[in-house]
Every structure is written in structure tokens, then in C-alpha cells.
């Protein structure tokens, strides 16, 4: 269809608006087009894309510069070059012939930069980059080297000249920020790669920056057609980048047909510099090769890098379930690179690859990336029909990394089926646990874990892990990672009671604390036990029907949101660790809102999925309709009523109306709001003041967490926690709606005026009983159902302060049975808390309560008061007042308390177990959100006043 025909698909007003954008020659074209695009429907989007990809000139369109003097790393409306690969290569050939002198100078400059980098003369290297920028302009190849230097300066080292170049290149843009995170030594490259490959596709609006971002992590094109599209976009950046990409993908065309391209390609990436570059990475530790792999795209023009990445890009990859079919030429190179290495050779300490680069071989030997890729290559090539010696496989688990993210699913599944040794089978199923979404794989893993636990470890998963700790530590770690509360809930033999689940998980956290010598896991164990204690007091049956799979949601965050989040967390200031970390709250807010939308709406892991499968298509109708009707109809008490034809007719009419009302709720209301479901009760895109408050708190928490750790690795749990907080506010609407349905569902007008009179004609007394039982049954079913739409307590329950107090009392009563606080609290409101914050309150309150139980007069009431004090910073204040024993003198008690307050508290955890003032002081010292405001004798009482700063 012609360009002017595509314009006709818009109305006059929209058409004129688009023409105005395309004719305005300013720097806001892309922003204006992006805003314009967001207002269009599917058909109009297709028309817009066709118009933008047409070769007709527009005033807003720009010509690309082969040697750009300003950083070309932002989206712009470039003149489209609609040509096939042959024509595109011919254009590059002609352009290269025109600029051959400058290209040769640039090739020499790149070699000089690399030689200086290999000699570790970073200052001279930087000067050479600046000189090259001045002479030959910007390119992605130079940007890669700038970021490489920046990331390898050292943790607290900053080169202001490099920082200036990075800011000039556009640290806020996707191209630069994705490169920074790909090269950062503390980032997981698999997660970053998936994030980059999942950058939202907005067609011509961002195709250019999406392609440049991809160049770092996926330089190989999938096909000739893909290569043509790739090359077309990279050419807009600079001519040298197009030539480097062409050389890297020379297996997709005959480079000899283009002599100038071939000539320049030979000048790029001198082979004698390759090993000196590799030698800059530490081969004495396992992270050296990992760093080289992450940063190897800095040297895409080197043939050795291309050979190395054929293996790693295709077989050390989490973005696909299976490795793609390799081009025949690449497959031949790969087989020559790997040689005939066996599983045993991967672990015997000698070179296991077949190339002639000893420095790289030494780096591979110390690292884990190549081993992991070869392991996955074997599995893929054999389709899982490969045998592993148990000891070789066990040793290999300690010499590989990220296999649980990268193994080929079908091949591993086959290998697990064929494995005869139960430990080999267990290892393979553990590798599948996180990567496979197949419930059968999870079932087989649970079955073999239970079999091994009962066969050798008295039915204890913790003992099984402890037994593997010395002989198979990596297997033990895999089991710890997999055995979440959700997983344990399905181990019905190892955890037959609900109370077993938190205890097993807490014990596993304690094992991990000993194994890693990290107290963080002890805190997690404590948190699990606190939650269990609260649920024990609440006596809550954790039978909620809504749920969000945390592992799948975390994977979604890593795939879809992490690159934006990473960009926001390094997008202002220098962005360099140890210097000035500031965060772009606007982007973090966007990440949170998009994450919450997926949390609710995603059809695989979201709330919508569980409402659909568990409620709409499962239990709602059966619970509200079938169980009510069947209970009434099967009751012998009402046989005389159902024997009456007049009553039966009225009953069937009431049932039909009741069923219709229930079905209407299911069809229209139990949904996430959308254009298709305008009456849906879950509205993740709407933000009330209370939701805005939670959202603001989430942004602050994420920013603070990054400021403390300078890492995005631990942000997924925080995002999940705040998504649940937002969901609870949305679910209130759903709960209120169900409460409001009590009267409409009963159809009381018909019930009173027609059904009950028909029953009264048979037996008036029985008619009243029938009506009461029917209405009570509906009320009870709806009341029970309200609990289905609450946050699952296994995720992290919300708890009132009164409930937390009751839980601490119950814990104390386990050792001091006659402790009874008696008096109620003086609070004026029920104070609800969510998230891990109440763990702090539990720990601090438990100390005060235990002290009161041990030292106060237990025959007298324990007075307490809980209140929230508003202000710029909301505060929760807890006051506990206990009576001094008649045998004790207040002055002596006061002196004892003051003496304890004066003792050093830094090692309080070593001598104050569950109670002690020193432990309270330690908590107050470690937490900015907690203050021990008072702990002293007043009259004949001990007064404790605890103050907590609340987020929202």
C-alpha cells in the first residue's frame, strides 16, 4: 500500500497531527511520535509503522553520519533505507571505498587503544580514545571501550574524564545504561541479557536503540533476514560499527564479494593483541573468565572473540529454552574449538578446549562459563542421551555456574529419565526445578527427595541437606534454593502438617547461616518463626485461593523490568559506586506500576491466573451455589417440602435466579479491569491516595536499598512485598463487593413473597426453619470466601500490633505457663502492619514481655498501649507497664535496670538470648526506625516505651 494510502487510515485530525510531527525539524520528533503512538489502535499502529519505514523524505528525518561528531546513541527519525542485505552491503562497500583512508586510521587507533589497555596504561588509553573521538567521531565500538575502562578502574576509583564522556554519551539512555550493567562485575549477565532482549518493541520509535543495546549481548544474527535488519540499524550509528558487525556475521554472506569490506575487516582486531587482552583478567579465581565473557563484546572485531562466543552465546544462555540451530560454518568452528572433550576432562585440571590460545585456556580452566556452556552443548547435541559418571557430575557441579538458568530443558528431562543412579537423577531434576514450568518435573523432584530422605535420613529434609554438606555441598545448596515454603507445602510426606513447613524452612535458613557464616540467614529463620508464631495465635488456616508464584514473577521482573530499574538506579550523578548514588524516582515508579500490573494481570503467574483457575473455573460456583443448594436438598428435614409440587416449582425458580446471580459475578466481576471486562473488580492501573502512599514507600525503599548495597540483586523480594501491599488495597474493593452481595444473592423479595409462603402451605414452622438455614448458609459461605481474597500468610502476613503482642505472650507461655497479662490494651484503634517491619516490632516487644513475665508481679495486670502518632514522620508507640513484685524494692529494681542499660551492648546477642535490655539497646543502635524511648521505674511500675518510625 502506498504511503498516502496509509495516511487515509487516520481521521483528518489525526492525519494532520502526524503530518505536523513529520514536518517539524526539531529534536523532539521521537518524543512527539511516542506520545502520538500511545493514542493509536492496532490497525493505526501498523499504518504508522509503514509510513515511518517508507523511503519518502520528511523534514524531521535525519541522514546518518558515517563518523558522527556527537554521540549517536539516542533514537531519532532517520531516513529509512529499504534494501535487502545485498543492496545494503553494496552501499556499505561503496561508502567504505569513499572513506577508506579514515577507516584505516580508525582501525589503527582501535589497535592502539587495545594495546594500551592490555599494557594496563588506562590513562594513555583514555587519551587515545579522546583523540580518536576528535578525529573520527563517535561509534559504539569506542563507547564499549569507554565503559570497559570505567568498570575496570576499581571499586572506588573514578576518572572524571571518563565520567564526562559517559554523561555526554547519555547515561540515562538504554544504550549506555545497558552497556554499563552488562560490563559491571557485580551484575548477572544472564539477567541483564534477558532484560535487554525484552526491551519493549515500539517499532520505529525505538528500534534503533533496542538494536544497539542488543549488540553487546547478542552480536550474532539469527538469519540472513535478521542480519539485514540488524545491519540497517547499526549503520545509522557509524560506518565502523557496521563493518565490525559484518565481520562478526561474515558466515551469513560471502565477504570476498565485497573487497573493501574484507580489507577493512582484516585490519580490525589484530590477533597478536588478543592474548595480552585476555591476560588482563585474573586466572587465579573463578570470576576472571566470567568478567572476560561479560566484557568480551568490547572486542567484537577479533576473530578469537567470535570463536569464543559461538559457544558461550548459544549454550550459556537463559533467554531460550533450547539453543538455536547453528549455521553450518559456525557449527564447524565450534566443533573444532571444543574438540572431543569428555565430562571427565572438564574436571581433571587440564586444558579441555581445543584451541591454540594458552592464556585463554588457562582462564577457561579457572572459570566456570566455558565448562557450563560445554555441559549444555553435550546435553543439547545428545538430546539428553548421554551418560555421566556420578563423581564427575558431582565435581562438575562445583565448577559450573547458572546451570539452573541455562540447561536445555528437554535434554535434561530425558537424561533424568535415563539416569540409573538416584543422586545423578536428583542433580538433574534439581537443575530443572527453576527452569522448567512443567509440574511433572517438580513432582519427580519432590518424589526423589522424599524417597532419599526417608531411605537414609529418617524422613528429614534438613538432615539430608546436612549430610550432603560435606560430600556434595553444591547439591545441598541447590536443595536449599529450591525448598521454598511453596515447594515444601507440596512435600506432604516430609511436611505432613502445616506447622512443619515454616519449621523446616527456618531450619534450612539456619543451616545456610552456618554453611556460609552469614547472619543474614539467621534473620530469615527468625522471620519465618515469627510469622508462624503469629499464625499459631491467629489460628488461621492458610487456605487462601489467590496466589502469585514468586519465582515466576521474579523471572518476569528480571526479563522485563531489570534493565529499566538498573538504568534508574545509575541514571543521575556519576553513577559510579562509592562516589554518588542517586536514583531516578520517576522510572522506579514506572517500574513498580508496571510490575504491579503484571502481578495482577499476568495470565501465567498473576492474581488473575489464580482467580481464573482456582476460583472462577473452580471453587466459587461450587462453594456459593452447589454446596448451599445440595446441603438443603439432601437434608431429610425438608423432604415434605420437596414432595410438594408447588413448592418445588418456586424452589426451582429461586435456584435459577440464584445461579444466574452467581454466574454473573463469576463472568463479570471476578476479573482484572480491562476494556473487555469493564466491571472487573481488580483495578491495578487505578491509584487511590492510599495506593499512592504505598507506591511512594516502595520507591523510597528500593532507592534506600540500592544506596546501601549498590546492587539490584536483592530488589525482587522488595518489589514482590510492595506488590502484595498494593494488592491488599485493591482486594478490599472485591471483599466489600462480596459483602454487599449477601442481600441481592438471596433474592429476598421472591423468597419472602413466593418461596416461603409455598413452604408455609405445607408446614409454617418448617418454612421459617428453611428460610433461616438457607440465608445463614449463604452468609457463612460468603463470609468464608472473603478469606480467599487476602494475602496468603505464607507470603508474609499482615498483623495487628495486638496480634503481635498476643504472639509474644504465647511464646513466653511456652516456658512460663502461668504468665497471663490479663488486662486489655488502651489503644484507640486497631493498628495493622504489613511486610517484614513487624518482625522488628515482634523482636523488641518480645524482650519487654519476657522481662515482665520473669521479673514483674504476674498476679497483677500488664498494662499496654499502642498508638500511631501522626506527623511528618508517622510513629508507632508501644507502652508496656508492669508491676514490681511486693518483695522487691523499686529503688533496687531501678538501680538494676540502669546498671543493665550502662553495660556494653554490641555483643548482646552472644549472652542475651531471648530477653535483655542490652539486646533492646543493640536493636536501637542497628535500626534507624526503632528507638528505646524509655525503660525505667515509675512509682511501683516498670515503664517501657518503644518508638517505631513507620513508612506509611
Amino acid at each position: 500500500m502506498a504511503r498516502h494510502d496509509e495516511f487515509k487510515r487516520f481521521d483528518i485530525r489525526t492525519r494532520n497531527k502526524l503530518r505536523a510531527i513529520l514536518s517539524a525539524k526539531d529534536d523532539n520528533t521521537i518524543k512527539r511520535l511516542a506520545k502520538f503512538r500511545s493514542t493509536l489502535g492496532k490497525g493505526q499502529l501498523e499504518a504508522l509503522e509503514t509510513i515511518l519505514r517508507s523511503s519518502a523524505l520528511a523534514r524531521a528525518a535525519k541522514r546518518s553520519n558515517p563518523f558522527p561528531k556527537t554521540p549517536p546513541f539516542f533514537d531519532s527519525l532517520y531516513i529509512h533505507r529499504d534494501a535487502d542485505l545485498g543492496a545494503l552491503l553494496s552501499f556499505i562497500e561503496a561508502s567504505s571505498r569513499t572513506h577508506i583512508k579514515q577507516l584505516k586510521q580508525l582501525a589503527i587507533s582501535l589497535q592502539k587503544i587495545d594495546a594500551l589497555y592490555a599494557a594496563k596504561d588506562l590513562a594513555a588509553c583514555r587519551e587515545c580514545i579522546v583523540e580518536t573521538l576528535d578525529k573520527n567521531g563517535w561509534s559504539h565500538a569506542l563507547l564499549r571501550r569507554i565503559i570497559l575502562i570505567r568498570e575496570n578502574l576499581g571499586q572506588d576509583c573514578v576518572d572524571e574524564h571518563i565520567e564526562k564522556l559517559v554523561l555526554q554519551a547519555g547515561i540515562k539512555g538504554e544504550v549506555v545504561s545497558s552497556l554499563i550493567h552488562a560490563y559491571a562485575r557485580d551484575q548477572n549477565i544472564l539477567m541483564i541479557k534477558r532484560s535487554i532482549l525484552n526491551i519493549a518493541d515500539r517499532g520505529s520509535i525505538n528500534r534503533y536503540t533496542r538494536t544497539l543495546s542488543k549488540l553487546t549481548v547478542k552480536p550474532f544474527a539469527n538469519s540472513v533476514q535478521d542480519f539485514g535488519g540488524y545491519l540497517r540499524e547499526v549503520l545509522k550509528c557509524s560506518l565502523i560499527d557496521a563493518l565490525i558487525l559484518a565481520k562478526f556475521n561474515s558466515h551469513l554472506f560471502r565477504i570476498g564479494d565485497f573487497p573493501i569490506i574484507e580489507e577493512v575487516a582484516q585490519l580490525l582486531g589484530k590477533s597478536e593483541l588478543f592474548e595480552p587482552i585476555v591476560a588482563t583478567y585474573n586466572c587465579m579465581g573463578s570470576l576472571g573468565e566470567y568478567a572476560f565473557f561479560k566484557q568480551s563484546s568490547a572486542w567484537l572485531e577479533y576473530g578469537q572473540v567470535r570463536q569464543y562466543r559461538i559457544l558461550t552465546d548459544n549454550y550459556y544462555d537463559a533467554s531460550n529454552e533450547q539453543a538455536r540451530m547453528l549455521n553450518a560454518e559456525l557449527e564447524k568452528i565450534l566443533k573444532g574449538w571444543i574438540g572431543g572433550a569428555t565430562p571427565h576432562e572438564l574436571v581433571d585440571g587440564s586444558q579441555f578446549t581445543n584451541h591454540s590460545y594458552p592464556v585463554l585456556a588457562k582462564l577457561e580452566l579457572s572459570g566456570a562459563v566455558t565448562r557450563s556452556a560445554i555441559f549444555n552443548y553435550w546435553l543439547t547435541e545428545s538430546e539428553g542421551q548421554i551418560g555421566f559418571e556420578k563423581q564427575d557430575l558431582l565435581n562438575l557441579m562445583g565448577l559450573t555456574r547458572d546451570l539452573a538458568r541455562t540447561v536445555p530443558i528437554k535434554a535434561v528431562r530425558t537424561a533424568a529419565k535415563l539416569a540409573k543412579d538416584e543422586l545423578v537423577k536428583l542433580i538433574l531434576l534439581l537443575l530443572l526445578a527453576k527452569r522448567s514450568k512443567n509440574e511433572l518435573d517438580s513432582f519427580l523432584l519432590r518424589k526423589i527427595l522424599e524417597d532419599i530422605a526417608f531411605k537414609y535420613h529418617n524422613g528429614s529434609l534438613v538432615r539430608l541437606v546436612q549430610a550432603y554438606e560435606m560430600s556434595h555441598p553444591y547439591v545441598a545448596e541447590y536443595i536449599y534454593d529450591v525448598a521454598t515454603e511453596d515447594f515444601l507445602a507440596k512435600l506432604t510426606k516430609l511436611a505432613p502438617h502445616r506447622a512443619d513447613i515454616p519449621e523446616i524452612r527456618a531450619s534450612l535458613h539456619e543451616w545456610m547461616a552456618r554453611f556460609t557464616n552469614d547472619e543474614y540467614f539467621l534473620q530469615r529463620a527468625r522471620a519465618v518463626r515469627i510469622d508462624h508464631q503469629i499464625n499459631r495465635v491467629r489460628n488461621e488456616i492458610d487456605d487462601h485461593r489467590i496466589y502469585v508464584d514468586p519465582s515466576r514473577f521474579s523471572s518476569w521482573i528480571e526479563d522485563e523490568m531489570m534493565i529499566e530499574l538498573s538504568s534508574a538506579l545509575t541514571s543521575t550523578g556519576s553513577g559510579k559506586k562509592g562516589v554518588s548514588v542517586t536514583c531516578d524516582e520517576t522510572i522506579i515508579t514506572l517500574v513498580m506500576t508496571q510490575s504491579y500490573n503484571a502481578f495482577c494481570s499476568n495470565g501465567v503467574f498473576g492474581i488473575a491466573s489464580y482467580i481464573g483457575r482456582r476460583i472462577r473455573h473452580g471453587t466459587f460456583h461450587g462453594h456459593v451455589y452447589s454446596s448451599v443448594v445440595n446441603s438443603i436438598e439432601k437434608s431429610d428435614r425438608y423432604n415434605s417440602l420437596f414432595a410438594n409440587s408447588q413448592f418445588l416449582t418456586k424452589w426451582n425458580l429461586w435456584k435459577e435466579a440464584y445461579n444466574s446471580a452467581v454466574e454473573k459475578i463469576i463472568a463479570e466481576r471476578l476479573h482484572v479491569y480491562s476494556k473487555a471486562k469493564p466491571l472487573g473488580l481488580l483495578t491495578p492501573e487505578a491509584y487511590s491516595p492510599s495506593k499512592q502512599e504505598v507506591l511512594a514507600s516502595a520507591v523510597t525503599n528500593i532507592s534506600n536499598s540500592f544506596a546501601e548495597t549498590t546492587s539490584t540483586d536483592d530488589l525482587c523480594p522488595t518489589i514482590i512485598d510492595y506488590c502484595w501491599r498494593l494488592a491488599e488495597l485493591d482486594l478490599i474493593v472485591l471483599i466489600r463487593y462480596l459483602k454487599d452481595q449477601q442481600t441481592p444473592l438471596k433474592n429476598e423479595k421472591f423468597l419472602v413473597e413466593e418461596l416461603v409462603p409455598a413452604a408455609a402451605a405445607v408446614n409454617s414452622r418448617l418454612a421459617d426453619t428453611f428460610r433461616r438455614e438457607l440465608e445463614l448458609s449463604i452468609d457463612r459461605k460468603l463470609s468464608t470466601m472473603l478469606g480467599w481474597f487476602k494475602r496468603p500468610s505464607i507470603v508474609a502476613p499482615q498483623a495487628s500490633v495486638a496480634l503481635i503482642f498476643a504472639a509474644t505472650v504465647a511464646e513466653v507461655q511456652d516456658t512460663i505457663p502461668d504468665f497471663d497479662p490479663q488486662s486489655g490494651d488502651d489503644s484507640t484503634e486497631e493498628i495493622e502492619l504489613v511486610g517484614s517491619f513487624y518482625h522488628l516490632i515482634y523482636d523488641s516487644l518480645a524482650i519487654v514481655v519476657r522481662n515482665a513475665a520473669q521479673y514483674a508481679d504476674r498476679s497483677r495486670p500488664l498494662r499496654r498501649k499502642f498508638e500511631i502518632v501522626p506527623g511528618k514522620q508517622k510513629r508507632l508507640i508501644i507502652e508496656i507497664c508492669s508491676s514490681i513484685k511486693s518483695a522487691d524494692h523499686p529503688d533496687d529494681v531501678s538501680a538494676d535496670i540502669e546498671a543493665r542499660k550502662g553495660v556494653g551492648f554490641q555483643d548482646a546477642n552472644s549472652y542475651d538470648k531471648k530477653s535483655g535490655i542490652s539486646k533492646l539497646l543493640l536493636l536501637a543502635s542497628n535500626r534507624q526506625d526503632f528507638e528505646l524511648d524509655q525503660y525505667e521505674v515509675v512509682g511501683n511500675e516498670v515503664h517501657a516505651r518503644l518508638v517505631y518510625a513507620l513508612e506509611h
Side-chain angles (χ1 to χ4, degrees):
M1 189 181 288
R3 189 170 188 257
H4 68 274
D5 291 327
E6 295 293 345
F7 266 102
K8 292 178 182 178
R9 297 174 70 176
F10 302 103
D11 58 57
I12 296 292
R13 186 179 178 185
T14 307
R15 201 181 305 170
N16 289 337
K17 190 182 292 185
L18 178 56
R19 285 197 175 107
I21 294 172
L22 296 179
S23 62
K25 198 169 185 180
D26 57 39
D27 294 330
N28 293 320
T29 304
I30 285 293
K31 288 182 180 178
R32 292 172 67 191
L33 276 173
K35 187 176 180 180
F36 176 78
R37 187 180 185 275
S38 66
T39 66
L40 304 180
K42 185 178 179 182
Q44 291 178 323
L45 285 174
E46 292 173 356
L48 176 64
E49 187 63 22
T50 303
I51 290 167
L52 296 180
R53 287 175 63 88
S54 69
S55 55
L57 294 175
R59 287 187 67 195
K62 299 178 181 178
R63 292 184 180 276
S64 56
N65 187 336
F67 303 97
K69 290 299 182 181
T70 57
F73 308 120
F74 304 96
D75 282 302
S76 187
L77 187 60
Y78 287 102
I79 293 172
H80 183 72
R81 195 176 300 282
D82 193 10
D84 61 17
L85 179 61
L88 198 59
L89 288 166
S90 295
F91 174 82
I92 294 171
E93 173 79 1
S95 183
S96 299
R97 182 177 289 107
T98 302
H99 301 288
I100 186 65
K101 184 178 178 180
Q102 199 165 356
L103 287 171
K104 287 181 177 179
Q105 288 177 351
L106 189 48
I108 293 169
S109 295
L110 290 175
Q111 290 172 29
K112 185 179 177 182
I113 292 167
D114 293 343
L116 290 169
Y117 180 83
K120 299 186 179 181
D121 190 347
L122 298 186
C125 188
R126 181 202 67 210
E127 294 304 320
C128 190
I129 288 174
V130 172
E131 183 182 340
T132 305
L133 287 172
D134 290 338
K135 285 183 179 179
N136 300 300
W138 283 84
S139 65
H140 198 269
L142 280 173
L143 177 66
R144 294 196 295 269
R145 286 162 170 84
I146 290 168
I147 302 301
L148 178 78
I149 294 171
R150 182 181 190 267
E151 291 304 317
N152 290 336
L153 283 170
Q155 181 69 19
D156 296 320
C157 298
V158 177
D159 186 312
E160 293 300 332
H161 297 287
I162 288 290
E163 290 303 313
K164 185 178 178 180
L165 290 174
V166 173
L167 289 171
Q168 188 181 347
I171 196 170
K172 288 187 178 183
E174 283 180 345
V175 175
V176 179
S177 63
S178 62
L179 191 54
I180 288 171
H181 291 287
Y183 284 6
R185 289 180 178 252
D186 60 350
Q187 292 279 21
N188 186 298
I189 188 60
L190 297 178
M191 183 178 76
I192 295 301
K193 180 177 180 178
R194 290 180 68 172
S195 295
I196 291 171
L197 296 181
N198 283 292
I199 293 172
D201 182 358
R202 296 193 292 274
S204 297
I205 305 296
N206 76 330
R207 182 178 292 113
Y208 173 66
T209 53
R210 282 182 72 240
T211 304
L212 282 191
S213 299
K214 186 175 73 169
L215 189 59
T216 309
V217 295
K218 192 176 180 296
F220 283 109
N222 296 329
S223 62
V224 171
Q225 185 179 4
D226 181 43
F227 177 46
Y230 211 161
L231 194 58
R232 188 179 296 113
E233 297 303 318
V234 172
L235 180 58
K236 295 173 185 176
C237 185
S238 76
L239 181 58
I240 194 68
D241 288 318
L243 288 166
I244 291 172
L245 182 66
K247 180 180 180 180
F248 200 88
N249 287 278
S250 56
H251 55 284
L252 295 173
F253 70 103
R254 283 171 32 177
I255 197 169
D257 292 345
F258 305 92
I260 304 299
I261 292 177
E262 186 176 32
E263 180 184 351
V264 176
Q266 290 172 355
L267 295 173
L268 292 167
K270 288 294 185 181
S271 58
E272 56 265 26
L273 280 174
F274 174 69
E275 292 229 274
I277 288 171
V278 176
T280 63
Y281 292 89
N282 182 12
C283 65
M284 301 306 292
S286 63
L287 295 178
E289 190 204 5
Y290 189 58
F292 170 70
F293 169 61
K294 291 202 292 184
Q295 298 176 351
S296 60
S297 64
W299 307 286
L300 290 179
E301 61 269 34
Y302 286 77
Q304 298 90 338
V305 169
R306 177 173 179 258
Q307 291 172 308
Y308 173 77
R309 291 192 62 146
I310 295 171
L311 173 65
T312 53
D313 277 21
N314 289 283
Y315 295 98
Y316 181 69
D317 178 32
S319 54
N320 296 296
E321 288 192 2
Q322 300 290 132
R324 287 192 175 92
M325 287 285 292
L326 281 181
N327 171 277
E329 182 183 330
L330 293 185
E331 189 171 1
K332 183 179 178 181
I333 295 170
L334 178 59
K335 287 181 177 178
W337 185 269
I338 293 175
T342 64
H344 179 70
E345 288 173 345
L346 280 188
V347 298
D348 71 356
S350 58
Q351 179 178 342
F352 49 81
T353 43
N354 196 41
H355 55 72
S356 56
Y357 306 106
V359 178
L360 177 62
K362 195 174 180 182
L363 194 66
E364 290 171 334
L365 194 59
S366 68
V369 174
T370 299
R371 279 195 182 90
S372 304
I374 291 176
F375 179 82
N376 293 333
Y377 171 77
W378 284 332
L379 284 166
T380 302
E381 288 298 295
S382 68
E383 297 180 340
Q385 300 181 43
I386 184 172
F388 291 102
E389 289 294 327
K390 179 170 70 175
Q391 197 55 49
D392 287 343
L393 184 60
L394 284 168
N395 291 339
L396 199 52
M397 290 304 100
L399 296 170
T400 50
R401 63 175 294 144
D402 297 316
L403 288 182
R405 290 171 176 258
T406 61
V407 289
I409 294 174
K410 291 180 181 178
V412 174
R413 188 178 291 140
T414 300
K417 285 179 184 176
L418 298 176
K420 295 180 180 179
D421 185 276
E422 64 181 8
L423 188 54
V424 171
K425 186 184 288 287
L426 174 61
I427 291 171
L428 294 171
L429 289 171
L430 284 168
L431 291 179
L432 272 181
K434 289 185 178 180
R435 189 134 160 84
S436 170
K437 303 298 186 285
N438 190 317
E439 178 57 30
L440 179 59
D441 295 328
S442 179
F443 168 77
L444 293 172
L445 173 59
R446 296 195 303 269
K447 186 176 184 300
I448 195 169
L449 273 175
E450 289 186 325
D451 289 347
I452 293 173
F454 277 100
K455 193 173 180 181
Y456 304 109
H457 306 289
N458 296 321
S460 169
L461 186 64
V462 178
R463 289 186 185 177
L464 184 155
V465 170
Q466 290 171 338
Y468 283 167
E469 178 181 345
M470 296 303 295
S471 56
H472 318 306
Y474 307 104
V475 178
E477 285 186 89
Y478 272 128
I479 294 171
Y480 167 80
D481 287 338
V482 167
T484 61
E485 284 90 341
D486 189 37
F487 183 84
L488 293 170
K490 298 175 184 177
L491 289 172
T492 51
K493 291 182 181 177
L494 292 178
H497 305 292
R498 281 185 298 109
D500 297 331
I501 297 168
E503 183 53 39
I504 293 172
R505 189 57 183 165
S507 298
L508 287 172
H509 285 318
E510 288 171 341
W511 168 81
M512 183 56 89
R514 293 191 300 272
F515 182 69
T516 60
N517 196 28
D518 188 343
E519 285 194 4
Y520 165 73
F521 294 102
L522 290 178
Q523 295 169 13
R524 293 185 67 179
R526 176 66 175 154
V528 169
R529 289 201 166 97
I530 288 172
D531 288 343
H532 175 56
Q533 179 69 16
I534 289 172
N535 286 332
R536 189 180 73 154
V537 171
R538 182 190 275 141
N539 195 26
E540 179 181 275
I541 298 174
D542 191 13
D543 191 25
H544 296 283
R545 299 308 201 275
I546 67 161
Y547 187 66
V548 172
D549 188 320
S551 62
R552 293 187 185 185
F553 183 47
S554 295
S555 295
W556 180 90
I557 293 171
E558 292 174 358
D559 290 351
E560 305 287 343
M561 291 288 106
M562 200 54 73
I563 196 68
E564 286 88 349
L565 189 59
S566 298
S567 173
L569 294 170
T570 57
S571 61
T572 57
S574 68
K576 188 71 180 170
K577 296 176 195 134
V579 180
S580 175
V581 175
T582 51
C583 310
D584 191 326
E585 294 189 353
T586 303
I587 297 179
I588 300 173
T589 300
L590 181 65
V591 168
M592 271 305 305
T593 54
Q594 290 181 339
S595 297
Y596 178 57
N597 200 304
F599 186 85
C600 292
S601 308
N602 189 278
V604 176
F605 58 74
I607 289 176
S609 166
Y610 286 86
I611 286 180
R613 286 185 283 123
R614 295 184 175 188
I615 298 177
R616 283 202 311 271
H617 300 153
T619 54
F620 191 95
H621 188 274
H623 188 79
V624 180
Y625 177 82
S626 302
S627 62
V628 170
V629 170
N630 292 343
S631 174
I632 292 287
E633 290 184 337
K634 291 179 180 178
S635 175
D636 294 337
R637 182 189 299 182
Y638 305 119
N639 285 344
S640 60
L641 296 181
F642 289 110
N644 183 281
S645 60
Q646 188 178 359
F647 172 83
L648 191 58
T649 300
K650 298 293 184 183
W651 170 247
N652 286 334
L653 288 172
W654 182 90
K655 275 200 309 181
E656 186 178 332
Y658 181 51
N659 183 61
S660 177
V662 171
E663 292 283 2
K664 190 174 181 181
I665 293 172
I666 293 170
E668 296 180 356
R669 296 291 189 167
L670 298 182
H671 291 272
V672 176
Y673 172 84
S674 65
K675 288 182 180 179
K677 295 294 178 182
L679 299 177
L681 289 168
L682 274 177
T683 55
E685 293 186 2
Y687 277 82
S688 61
S690 54
K691 283 176 70 178
Q692 286 286 3
E693 194 177 349
V694 173
L695 184 62
S697 175
V699 172
T700 301
N701 202 309
I702 289 169
S703 300
N704 291 342
S705 177
F706 182 79
E708 289 177 14
T709 64
T710 62
S711 172
T712 59
D713 289 350
D714 300 322
L715 293 181
C716 280
T718 302
I719 294 173
I720 292 171
D721 179 46
Y722 276 96
C723 282
W724 272 117
R725 297 190 195 193
L726 291 167
E728 286 178 308
L729 294 174
D730 273 345
L731 290 167
I732 288 171
V733 177
L734 200 153
I735 290 169
R736 284 175 184 161
Y737 173 80
L738 290 177
K739 284 181 178 178
D740 291 342
Q741 295 310 299
Q742 285 184 307
T743 301
L745 278 175
K746 293 170 189 171
N747 194 3
E748 288 192 340
K749 189 173 186 297
F750 185 89
L751 193 65
V752 172
E753 295 179 3
E754 300 195 40
L755 184 59
V756 172
V762 180
N763 185 325
S764 59
R765 211 171 197 184
L766 192 60
D768 287 337
T769 304
F770 176 85
R771 178 188 173 181
R772 281 196 305 272
E773 184 173 338
L774 180 61
E775 291 186 333
L776 187 61
S777 178
I778 293 172
D779 288 343
R780 283 174 175 169
K781 296 299 180 183
L782 282 173
S783 179
T784 301
M785 191 173 290
L786 300 183
W788 294 5
F789 300 98
K790 293 180 180 178
R791 182 182 197 173
S793 61
I794 199 168
V795 174
Q798 67 177 33
S800 68
V801 178
L803 180 62
I804 294 171
F805 175 80
T808 63
V809 169
E811 183 178 297
V812 171
Q813 286 173 336
D814 288 341
T815 52
I816 308 176
D818 64 336
F819 174 58
D820 182 8
Q822 302 170 29
S823 174
D825 68 78
D826 300 323
S827 306
T828 57
E829 60 178 319
E830 182 74 358
I831 301 170
E832 290 283 339
L833 301 167
V834 293
S836 59
F837 181 72
Y838 66 75
H839 296 155
L840 167 66
I841 295 172
Y842 185 100
D843 273 338
S844 50
L845 187 55
I847 294 169
V848 177
V849 171
R850 182 168 289 277
N851 280 346
Q854 286 181 315
Y855 305 115
D857 185 347
R858 291 202 291 271
S859 67
R860 302 183 69 181
L862 189 67
R863 293 191 296 110
R864 63 262 190 192
K865 182 180 180 181
F866 317 133
E867 66 174 333
I868 288 181
V869 178
K872 186 175 181 182
Q873 173 72 69
K874 281 199 295 187
R875 296 182 302 156
L876 167 66
I877 297 176
I878 296 178
E879 295 179 357
I880 303 290
C881 301
S882 56
S883 300
I884 295 172
K885 292 177 182 177
S886 56
D888 296 333
H889 194 279
D891 290 345
D892 295 336
V893 174
S894 179
D896 186 40
I897 289 174
E898 293 305 316
R900 290 178 181 273
K901 284 161 69 174
V903 173
F905 55 78
Q906 291 303 330
D907 57 347
N909 285 327
S910 63
Y911 62 83
D912 265 352
K913 293 183 180 177
K914 290 188 176 180
S915 67
I917 294 172
S918 55
K919 195 167 183 182
L920 276 175
L921 293 170
L922 180 62
L923 272 174
S925 172
N926 291 336
R927 298 287 296 249
Q928 293 182 340
D929 49 2
F930 170 60
E931 178 188 354
L932 179 58
D933 188 56
Q934 181 187 35
Y935 207 117
E936 62 185 359
V937 172
V938 178
N940 287 318
E941 292 182 327
V942 174
H943 287 203
R945 179 180 165 94
L946 313 176
V947 181
Y948 308 87
L950 299 178
E951 291 178 0
H952 59 86

